[in-house]
Every structure is written in C-alpha cells, then in structure tokens.
Amino acid sequence: MLVDTYGRVATDLRVSLTDRCNLRCTYCMPEEGLRWLGKPELLTDDEIVRLVRIAVTDLGITEVRFTGGEPLLRPGLPGIVERCAALDPRPRLSLTTNGIGLARTAPALRAAGLDRINVSLDTLRPDVFKTLTRRDRHRDVLEGLLAARAAGLDPVKVNTVLMPGLNDDEAPDLLAWAIEHGYELRFIEQMPLDAQHGWQRDGMITAGDVLASLRTRFTLTAEDEESRGSAPAERWLVDGGPYRVGVIASVTRPFCAACDRTRLTADGQVRTCLFAREETDLRAALRAGEPDEEIARIWRHAMWGKKAGSGLDDPAFRQPDRPMSAIGG
C-alpha cells in the first residue's frame, strides 16, 4: 500500500504522459517561452506501463488517470491504455484532455480499454475561448465531446474554470448546456498553477460565487458526504435530479484530509501532491536496472512523507516551481 503518516492510503494514480500542450490557457502557462522536456527526459511507453504495473500489482492502485500537458499528443497513447487495461487486477482507466483531437481518437481509446474521460471547456463562446486559450479551437472541443459520448466513454465529465471578467457570467448557461447534452459538469476554482506566477487569491471566482450564480436559475440540493467519499468534487442534485453538478473548491475548501492520490510526472518523478515542492525520482531507478521491489520501496517511502495539506489555505503559499504542464493536472 501507499500509506502516509496521517493514515491516508493512495489508490488513485495520476500519470502525466507529456508536458506539451496545443493550447496556451492563461491560467496554466505563458503564451511562449516554456522549455519542453527533451525526449530522453520523458518516460518511454515501456517505462510508463511498468510503473503503472508496479503501482497496481504491488502498491494497491485501483484507478489510473492519464494527464498532460495534453495526453492526446502522446503518440503511443492507445497502446499504453491497452497494456494498462490488460493488467491483473485491472485498474479503472480515465483521461483528462482539452478535447482537441478527441473526435479522431475517442473510438480507438475506448477500444483500447479507456473507461471514461474528462474534457476541459471553460466557455460556450468561441471568442472567449480564443481569449482564454490563445487558440481558435472551440469547435474542435465540442466535436470531441460528442465523439467521446458516441464512443461510450461514460460518464463524460466537463471541467470548467471561471475567470473574472471573461467567463464568470456563464455558470448557469454552462450547466443548462451540460444537462442538454448529458455531460457531468464540474467547476474548479482557479489554482496557482501558472508558470508566469500571475495567480491572485483576491478576485478569484470561488465555489461560493459559482453556487450563488447557479442558484439564480437552478435549485441545488447537496449530496451527503458519504456519497462523496474521497472525490475532490462536492456535488449537488440539480432541480431534484437526476442531473448533478460538482464544484472542486481546492483553494477555499481544501479536501486534503481525504486525499487518495499519488502522481507521476512525465519525466518519472513521484509527487505526493499537485502543489508539492519536492519530488522523488523513479526514472533513475528504472534506468539503473533496479527490480520492481526496489522501485515500490522508493515509491512507498516518498508517499510516507506526504504532508498534511497542500498549503493553499495559507495566505503565504508559494506556487510550485514547475507549471502544471510539467506536473500533470
């Protein structure tokens, strides 16, 4: 097991497949100037699958989420999914994507064994999308969402970040749209993951702001804490159900006490938290020819040292030195 000194057990592994992305979202990275990881620095497909196998068979991982950067940019993605789906015991496999290219790849990913998908979409307005992402690809994301649902990647979850002065008025429209199309919408508080360190706590759109906006059009009934479990999203039934909406309040209502995640970066580093400032190198152990037992030991030791919280609730919090594209969302 991957247990820490606070008694939390990690069963959910987030695997970053690449640091590269084909969008430049303003809350994630600058428009230009990032140094991408070189190919020798990245884990190979075989190394990724081996680490996932160790995590599943030796360390108790039951859920694996592939992230980026943008994971659809990884050429060997379907093969990685297929090999991980063949593990025994079989983990539940999901992927977080910006949706660009998903219209083309969704059927192959489902055939390879992907169970479900999360797609990031912050606005229904193409002009606002272009401002937020610095790319004119709004239609591609909408087409990707339709393809994911048609391929049977269920549920299709949509992740949305609201930004002051850009899309902060869209919460009710986004929820109505998600209900119409059968997507599960989740609003995420903007987190300090931008490489240019431009995040400001003051003025951010909070979970409370989102809920107040939604309640101007919908009746929301909170689900009980037992049904939430270790999930980061607080969920509400919309107008009595069956549709639900989630809010991930990472900044204003941290959920660290129930965290069950461990993270693997694209260059083979274990991170105990998305906001951790320390990493533990597994890539070096892999390439030095260490056996599975030693890699598992290193991983256990890293997770044993996991801190009680992310530090986001501390006004003096400092952003991680690496942008989210290098860490994995």
Side-chain angles (χ1 to χ4, degrees), residues 106-182:
L109 290 172
R110 184 69 184 99
L114 192 69
D115 295 304
R116 66 173 185 84
I117 201 158
N118 288 34
V119 180
S120 299
L121 180 66
D122 301 323
T123 178
L124 298 176
R125 303 193 294 249
D127 59 325
V128 176
F129 182 91
K130 187 174 181 180
T131 299
L132 280 168
T133 68
R134 305 183 178 105
R135 299 292 186 270
D136 189 11
R137 306 297 296 273
H138 190 257
R139 179 180 293 276
D140 294 316
V141 181
L142 296 181
E143 291 175 351
L145 281 161
L146 291 173
R149 189 179 61 186
L153 292 167
D154 185 61
V156 176
K157 295 185 178 181
V158 177
N159 295 339
T160 295
V161 176
L162 297 182
M163 300 286 288
L166 288 173
N167 60 342
D168 53 344
D169 61 335
E170 288 196 66
D173 290 340
L174 281 159
L175 181 53
W177 166 82
I179 290 172
E180 177 186 355
H181 289 277

Side-chain angles (χ1 to χ4, degrees), residues 177-259:
W177 166 82
I179 290 172
E180 177 186 355
H181 289 277
Y183 306 139
E184 186 174 325
L185 181 63
R186 306 192 309 172
F187 292 94
I188 304 175
E189 287 182 337
Q190 183 196 1
M191 294 179 283
L193 294 167
D194 53 319
Q196 63 270 35
H197 291 199
W199 179 78
Q200 297 289 333
R201 183 182 297 267
D202 295 339
M204 63 171 286
I205 306 302
T206 67
D209 297 330
V210 171
L211 293 171
S213 180
L214 292 176
R215 286 182 171 124
T216 63
R217 195 182 306 180
F218 303 97
T219 298
L220 303 181
T221 305
E223 288 192 333
D224 58 64
E225 285 295 315
E226 184 176 344
S227 65
R228 178 184 181 185
S230 60
E234 299 175 75
R235 298 201 306 177
W236 282 262
L237 289 173
V238 180
D239 293 340
Y243 297 105
R244 292 171 171 81
V245 64
V247 178
I248 299 178
S250 302
V251 178
T252 60
R253 294 201 287 268
F255 39 85
C256 302
C259 181

Side-chain angles (χ1 to χ4, degrees), residues 56-115:
V56 169
T57 61
D58 297 343
L59 298 173
I61 292 296
T62 59
E63 303 261 348
V64 177
R65 170 86 62 87
F66 298 109
T67 70
E70 173 45 53
L72 295 184
L73 295 178
R74 179 90 185 199
L77 176 59
I80 292 172
V81 171
E82 184 174 22
R83 293 167 68 185
C84 291
L87 294 173
D88 184 17
R90 184 196 189 283
R92 185 160 173 80
L93 302 175
S94 61
L95 181 142
T96 295
T97 173
N98 62 29
I100 296 174
L102 187 57
R104 181 182 69 257
T105 56
L109 290 172
R110 184 69 184 99
L114 192 69
D115 295 304

